[in-house]
Amino acid sequence: MTIEITESSHATVGDITVRRALPRRQRRTIGAWCFADHMGPAQATPTHGLDVGPHPHCGLQTVTWLTQGEVLHHDSLGTSQLIAPGQLNLMTAGRGVSHSEEATGSYAGPVEGIQLWVAQPEATRNGDPAFEHHAELPVVGLAGGRATVLVGSLAGSTSPARTDSAMVGAELLLDGPATVAVDPGFEHGLVVLDGAVEVDGQTLEPGHLGYLAPGLEALTLAPEPTARVMLLGGVPFPEPIVMWWNYVTRDRGEVTRAHRSWLADDGRFGTVESTLARVTVDLPPWS
Protein backbone atom coordinates (compact mmCIF):
# COMPACT_ATOMS: atom_id res chain seq x y z
CA MET A 1 0.00 0.00 0.00
CA THR A 2 1.41 3.38 -1.05
CA ILE A 3 -0.40 6.62 -0.23
CA GLU A 4 0.02 9.78 -2.32
CA ILE A 5 -0.55 12.95 -0.26
CA THR A 6 -1.37 16.31 -1.82
CA GLU A 7 -2.15 19.63 -0.14
CA SER A 8 -5.59 21.19 -0.38
CA SER A 9 -6.09 24.68 -1.75
CA HIS A 10 -8.07 27.36 0.06
CA ALA A 11 -11.13 29.09 -1.34
CA THR A 12 -14.12 31.13 -0.17
CA VAL A 13 -17.63 29.79 -0.77
CA GLY A 14 -20.36 32.18 0.28
CA ASP A 15 -18.89 33.60 3.48
CA ILE A 16 -17.03 30.45 4.57
CA THR A 17 -13.42 29.46 3.97
CA VAL A 18 -13.00 25.94 2.60
CA ARG A 19 -10.10 23.53 2.14
CA ARG A 20 -10.44 22.17 -1.40
CA ALA A 21 -8.97 18.68 -1.50
CA LEU A 22 -10.33 17.83 -4.95
CA PRO A 23 -9.78 18.64 -7.77
CA ARG A 24 -6.06 19.40 -7.66
CA ARG A 25 -3.58 19.60 -10.51
CA GLN A 26 -2.08 16.27 -9.43
CA ARG A 27 -5.42 14.52 -8.95
CA ARG A 28 -8.62 15.50 -10.78
CA THR A 29 -10.94 12.65 -9.81
CA ILE A 30 -11.18 9.64 -7.49
CA GLY A 31 -13.65 7.30 -9.12
CA ALA A 32 -16.60 9.54 -9.97
CA TRP A 33 -15.78 11.91 -7.06
CA CYS A 34 -14.61 15.16 -8.66
CA PHE A 35 -14.87 17.79 -5.90
CA ALA A 36 -14.33 17.87 -2.14
CA ASP A 37 -14.58 21.04 -0.02
CA HIS A 38 -14.00 20.80 3.74
CA MET A 39 -16.16 23.71 4.97
CA GLY A 40 -15.51 25.68 8.13
CA PRO A 41 -15.68 25.61 11.02
CA ALA A 42 -17.51 28.92 10.85
CA GLN A 43 -19.97 30.66 13.12
CA ALA A 44 -23.60 30.90 12.02
CA THR A 45 -26.45 33.02 13.28
CA PRO A 46 -30.16 32.51 12.54
CA THR A 47 -29.84 34.92 9.60
CA HIS A 48 -26.25 34.37 8.49
CA GLY A 49 -24.63 31.04 7.61
CA LEU A 50 -23.18 29.55 4.44
CA ASP A 51 -25.05 32.23 2.46
CA VAL A 52 -24.47 30.63 -0.94
CA GLY A 53 -27.06 32.22 -3.22
CA PRO A 54 -28.88 30.46 -6.08
CA HIS A 55 -26.39 28.97 -8.53
CA PRO A 56 -26.55 26.33 -11.28
CA HIS A 57 -25.25 22.79 -11.73
CA CYS A 58 -25.29 20.24 -14.53
CA GLY A 59 -23.77 16.80 -15.03
CA LEU A 60 -23.11 16.11 -11.35
CA GLN A 61 -24.53 15.15 -7.98
CA THR A 62 -23.94 17.22 -4.85
CA VAL A 63 -23.41 15.31 -1.60
CA THR A 64 -23.67 17.45 1.54
CA TRP A 65 -22.54 16.12 4.93
CA LEU A 66 -22.35 18.21 8.10
CA THR A 67 -20.33 17.44 11.22
CA GLN A 68 -21.59 20.50 13.11
CA GLY A 69 -24.54 22.84 12.76
CA GLU A 70 -27.54 23.15 10.48
CA VAL A 71 -28.03 24.46 6.93
CA LEU A 72 -31.18 25.05 4.88
CA HIS A 73 -31.21 23.81 1.27
CA HIS A 74 -33.53 25.33 -1.36
CA ASP A 75 -33.61 24.22 -4.99
CA SER A 76 -35.40 24.79 -8.28
CA LEU A 77 -37.38 21.57 -7.80
CA GLY A 78 -39.23 23.30 -4.98
CA THR A 79 -37.31 21.53 -2.21
CA SER A 80 -36.78 23.22 1.13
CA GLN A 81 -34.78 20.86 3.35
CA LEU A 82 -32.99 21.36 6.65
CA ILE A 83 -29.84 19.26 7.03
CA ALA A 84 -28.11 18.42 10.32
CA PRO A 85 -25.16 16.20 11.31
CA GLY A 86 -25.74 12.52 10.54
CA GLN A 87 -28.09 13.31 7.66
CA LEU A 88 -27.43 13.31 3.92
CA ASN A 89 -28.57 15.70 1.21
CA LEU A 90 -28.02 14.38 -2.32
CA MET A 91 -29.02 16.51 -5.31
CA THR A 92 -28.77 15.16 -8.84
CA ALA A 93 -28.31 17.93 -11.40
CA GLY A 94 -28.65 15.98 -14.65
CA ARG A 95 -29.24 18.45 -17.49
CA GLY A 96 -29.70 21.34 -15.07
CA VAL A 97 -30.76 22.42 -11.59
CA SER A 98 -30.08 25.36 -9.28
CA HIS A 99 -29.98 25.65 -5.50
CA SER A 100 -28.95 27.75 -2.52
CA GLU A 101 -27.51 26.94 0.92
CA GLU A 102 -28.72 29.28 3.63
CA ALA A 103 -29.07 30.08 7.31
CA THR A 104 -31.96 28.24 8.95
CA GLY A 105 -33.70 31.18 10.62
CA SER A 106 -33.24 29.59 14.04
CA TYR A 107 -29.84 27.87 14.43
CA ALA A 108 -26.88 29.73 15.93
CA GLY A 109 -23.50 28.09 16.44
CA PRO A 110 -20.65 26.43 14.58
CA VAL A 111 -21.10 25.01 11.07
CA GLU A 112 -18.66 22.52 9.58
CA GLY A 113 -18.84 19.72 7.05
CA ILE A 114 -17.90 18.60 3.58
CA GLN A 115 -19.43 19.34 0.20
CA LEU A 116 -18.76 16.66 -2.42
CA TRP A 117 -19.54 16.38 -6.11
CA VAL A 118 -19.95 13.22 -8.14
CA ALA A 119 -19.52 13.30 -11.93
CA GLN A 120 -22.50 11.67 -13.63
CA PRO A 121 -21.78 9.12 -16.36
CA GLU A 122 -22.99 9.55 -19.94
CA ALA A 123 -26.07 7.41 -19.24
CA THR A 124 -27.54 9.84 -16.68
CA ARG A 125 -25.85 13.21 -17.05
CA ASN A 126 -28.56 14.64 -19.31
CA GLY A 127 -31.43 13.18 -17.30
CA ASP A 128 -33.95 14.80 -14.98
CA PRO A 129 -32.78 16.65 -11.87
CA ALA A 130 -33.74 15.13 -8.51
CA PHE A 131 -33.26 15.58 -4.77
CA GLU A 132 -33.22 13.16 -1.86
CA HIS A 133 -32.69 13.53 1.88
CA HIS A 134 -31.72 10.63 4.14
CA ALA A 135 -32.20 11.25 7.85
CA GLU A 136 -30.90 7.76 8.70
CA LEU A 137 -27.93 5.94 7.18
CA PRO A 138 -26.33 2.58 7.94
CA VAL A 139 -23.68 2.63 10.68
CA VAL A 140 -21.27 -0.29 10.97
CA GLY A 141 -18.88 -1.12 13.78
CA LEU A 142 -15.15 -1.25 13.20
CA ALA A 143 -12.48 -2.65 15.53
CA GLY A 144 -11.32 0.91 16.21
CA GLY A 145 -14.52 2.90 15.75
CA ARG A 146 -17.48 3.04 13.39
CA ALA A 147 -18.36 3.94 9.81
CA THR A 148 -21.43 5.72 8.46
CA VAL A 149 -22.12 4.72 4.85
CA LEU A 150 -23.22 7.81 2.90
CA VAL A 151 -23.32 6.24 -0.57
CA GLY A 152 -22.54 2.79 -1.95
CA SER A 153 -21.56 -0.17 0.22
CA LEU A 154 -18.98 -0.77 2.94
CA ALA A 155 -18.48 -3.58 5.45
CA GLY A 156 -21.63 -5.37 4.31
CA SER A 157 -23.93 -2.34 4.60
CA THR A 158 -25.43 -0.35 1.73
CA SER A 159 -26.68 3.23 1.78
CA PRO A 160 -30.19 3.95 0.45
CA ALA A 161 -28.81 6.94 -1.50
CA ARG A 162 -28.75 6.92 -5.29
CA THR A 163 -25.52 6.10 -7.10
CA ASP A 164 -25.00 6.39 -10.85
CA SER A 165 -21.70 4.50 -10.93
CA ALA A 166 -19.82 1.99 -8.75
CA MET A 167 -18.57 3.97 -5.76
CA VAL A 168 -18.44 4.39 -2.00
CA GLY A 169 -18.51 7.32 0.38
CA ALA A 170 -18.27 6.86 4.16
CA GLU A 171 -17.41 8.78 7.31
CA LEU A 172 -15.02 6.93 9.62
CA LEU A 173 -14.95 7.88 13.31
CA LEU A 174 -11.85 6.30 14.79
CA ASP A 175 -10.56 6.03 18.34
CA GLY A 176 -8.20 3.12 17.71
CA PRO A 177 -6.45 1.25 14.87
CA ALA A 178 -8.90 -0.01 12.27
CA THR A 179 -8.73 -2.16 9.16
CA VAL A 180 -11.46 -1.60 6.58
CA ALA A 181 -12.09 -4.05 3.72
CA VAL A 182 -12.38 -2.16 0.42
CA ASP A 183 -13.08 -3.03 -3.20
CA PRO A 184 -9.78 -3.74 -5.02
CA GLY A 185 -11.29 -2.43 -8.25
CA PHE A 186 -11.72 1.04 -6.70
CA GLU A 187 -9.26 3.85 -6.29
CA HIS A 188 -9.69 5.55 -2.91
CA GLY A 189 -9.22 8.94 -1.31
CA LEU A 190 -9.04 10.01 2.33
CA VAL A 191 -9.96 13.49 3.62
CA VAL A 192 -9.39 14.05 7.35
CA LEU A 193 -11.98 16.41 8.83
CA ASP A 194 -10.75 16.25 12.42
CA GLY A 195 -7.69 14.85 14.19
CA ALA A 196 -5.01 12.94 12.29
CA VAL A 197 -4.51 9.42 11.01
CA GLU A 198 -1.46 7.37 10.09
CA VAL A 199 -1.68 5.52 6.78
CA ASP A 200 1.19 3.61 5.17
CA GLY A 201 3.64 5.12 7.67
CA GLN A 202 2.59 8.70 6.84
CA THR A 203 0.42 11.09 8.85
CA LEU A 204 -2.60 12.57 7.13
CA GLU A 205 -4.09 15.75 8.61
CA PRO A 206 -6.87 18.20 7.66
CA GLY A 207 -5.96 20.24 4.59
CA HIS A 208 -4.63 17.28 2.62
CA LEU A 209 -5.88 14.50 0.36
CA GLY A 210 -4.59 10.96 0.62
CA TYR A 211 -4.86 8.89 -2.59
CA LEU A 212 -4.63 5.10 -2.91
CA ALA A 213 -4.54 3.38 -6.29
CA PRO A 214 -6.71 0.36 -7.23
CA GLY A 215 -5.61 -3.06 -6.07
CA LEU A 216 -6.06 -2.51 -2.35
CA GLU A 217 -8.21 -5.08 -0.52
CA ALA A 218 -7.97 -3.57 2.98
CA LEU A 219 -7.14 -0.15 4.35
CA THR A 220 -5.36 0.10 7.71
CA LEU A 221 -5.71 3.36 9.63
CA ALA A 222 -4.23 4.41 12.97
CA PRO A 223 -5.75 7.60 14.48
CA GLU A 224 -3.53 10.02 16.42
CA PRO A 225 -5.30 9.62 18.88
CA THR A 226 -8.76 10.07 17.31
CA ALA A 227 -9.87 11.04 13.84
CA ARG A 228 -12.87 11.79 11.65
CA VAL A 229 -12.06 10.70 8.09
CA MET A 230 -14.03 10.73 4.85
CA LEU A 231 -13.38 7.66 2.70
CA LEU A 232 -14.15 8.18 -0.99
CA GLY A 233 -13.77 5.49 -3.61
CA GLY A 234 -14.88 4.25 -6.98
CA VAL A 235 -14.02 2.67 -10.27
CA PRO A 236 -11.71 5.06 -12.18
CA PHE A 237 -14.03 7.34 -14.13
CA PRO A 238 -13.99 6.14 -17.76
CA GLU A 239 -14.94 9.41 -19.46
CA PRO A 240 -12.92 12.62 -19.79
CA ILE A 241 -14.61 15.53 -18.02
CA VAL A 242 -14.36 19.30 -18.23
CA MET A 243 -15.10 21.17 -14.99
CA TRP A 244 -15.61 24.92 -14.89
CA TRP A 245 -17.40 26.88 -12.16
CA ASN A 246 -20.40 24.71 -11.22
CA TYR A 247 -20.61 22.54 -14.31
CA VAL A 248 -19.28 19.08 -15.12
CA THR A 249 -19.34 18.46 -18.86
CA ARG A 250 -17.40 16.68 -21.61
CA ASP A 251 -16.12 19.70 -23.54
CA ARG A 252 -15.78 23.47 -23.36
CA GLY A 253 -18.65 24.05 -25.73
CA GLU A 254 -21.05 22.41 -23.29
CA VAL A 255 -19.76 24.62 -20.51
CA THR A 256 -20.28 27.77 -22.57
CA ARG A 257 -23.82 26.78 -23.57
CA ALA A 258 -24.75 25.96 -19.98
CA HIS A 259 -23.39 29.24 -18.67
CA ARG A 260 -25.08 31.29 -21.37
CA SER A 261 -28.34 29.67 -20.29
CA TRP A 262 -27.72 30.62 -16.66
CA LEU A 263 -26.81 34.21 -17.51
CA ALA A 264 -29.86 34.54 -19.77
CA ASP A 265 -32.10 32.91 -17.13
CA ASP A 266 -33.75 30.99 -19.97
CA GLY A 267 -35.39 28.37 -17.74
CA ARG A 268 -32.88 25.54 -18.12
CA PHE A 269 -31.86 25.76 -14.45
CA GLY A 270 -35.23 26.74 -13.03
CA THR A 271 -35.83 29.25 -10.24
CA VAL A 272 -34.95 29.05 -6.55
CA GLU A 273 -37.15 30.75 -3.95
CA SER A 274 -34.47 32.54 -1.97
CA THR A 275 -33.80 35.88 -0.31
CA LEU A 276 -30.17 35.63 -1.40
CA ALA A 277 -28.92 37.15 -4.63
CA ARG A 278 -28.54 34.95 -7.69
CA VAL A 279 -24.84 34.17 -8.22
CA THR A 280 -23.30 35.07 -11.59
CA VAL A 281 -19.78 35.14 -12.99
CA ASP A 282 -18.43 36.13 -16.40
CA LEU A 283 -18.35 33.71 -19.31
CA PRO A 284 -15.40 31.29 -19.37
CA PRO A 285 -12.20 32.78 -20.82
CA TRP A 286 -12.36 30.68 -24.00
CA SER A 287 -15.84 31.95 -24.92
Side-chain angles (χ1 to χ4, degrees):
M1 177 172 65
T2 302
I3 187 169
E4 167 194 288
I5 297 178
T6 56
E7 189 171 355
S8 302
S9 63
H10 288 78
T12 301
V13 176
D15 285 340
I16 290 185
T17 298
V18 301
R19 303 180 182 97
R20 183 158 296 161
L22 199 69
R24 305 294 293 132
R25 184 180 300 276
Q26 307 94 319
R27 183 66 51 193
R28 307 299 295 178
T29 58
I30 296 174
W33 300 100
C34 61
F35 184 91
D37 269 4
H38 179 187
M39 309 176 295
Q43 199 69 21
T45 71
T47 57
H48 180 70
L50 289 184
D51 294 346
V52 182
H55 60 281
H57 289 295
C58 67
L60 62 90
Q61 294 172 303
T62 63
V63 177
T64 306
W65 182 254
L66 297 181
T67 59
Q68 296 187 84
E70 295 180 353
V71 172
L72 186 61
H73 164 100
H74 295 293
D75 64 37
S76 55
L77 300 169
T79 309
S80 181
Q81 177 64 58
L82 183 74
I83 182 173
Q87 303 175 357
L88 178 72
N89 274 5
L90 189 152
M91 184 180 70
T92 299
R95 62 179 171 270
V97 75
S98 55
H99 74 132
S100 64
E101 304 288 352
E102 307 185 15
T104 66
S106 58
Y107 174 77
V111 174
E112 185 174 8
I114 190 165
Q115 176 79 65
L116 302 159
W117 293 359
V118 178
Q120 291 184 257
E122 190 64 31
T124 65
R125 72 186 186 93
N126 292 308
D128 293 338
F131 177 84
E132 56 193 75
H133 173 81
H134 298 281
E136 296 184 3
L137 294 165
V139 178
V140 296
L142 304 172
R146 68 181 189 271
T148 301
V149 187
L150 279 63
V151 297
S153 299
L154 187 74
S157 292
T158 300
S159 167
R162 168 178 168 173
T163 55
D164 287 12
S165 58
M167 61 187 304
V168 65
E171 180 194 67
L172 311 179
L173 288 177
L174 304 176
D175 56 14
T179 298
V180 183
V182 294
D183 190 322
F186 287 5
E187 54 186 351
H188 290 89
L190 298 170
V191 181
V192 176
L193 302 184
D194 188 52
V197 66
E198 183 181 308
V199 187
D200 188 32
Q202 298 191 61
T203 299
L204 189 63
E205 299 176 316
H208 297 81
L209 170 72
Y211 171 80
L212 296 146
L216 192 66
E217 295 186 350
L219 177 62
T220 300
L221 307 170
E224 301 180 351
T226 62
R228 184 191 299 267
V229 184
M230 296 303 301
L231 170 66
L232 310 174
V235 174
F237 201 67
E239 304 162 21
I241 65 172
V242 174
M243 291 180 59
W244 183 83
W245 200 40
N246 297 310
Y247 314 115
V248 175
T249 69
R250 298 302 183 267
D251 60 53
R252 289 182 171 185
E254 285 187 51
V255 169
T256 300
R257 290 190 292 275
H259 199 50
R260 288 189 187 278
S261 287
W262 176 248
L263 294 177
D265 197 9
D266 64 6
R268 172 176 174 176
F269 296 99
T271 301
V272 181
E273 294 295 329
S274 174
T275 60
L276 299 177
R278 198 168 178 269
V279 181
T280 61
V281 299
D282 291 338
L283 282 165
W286 60 79
S287 298

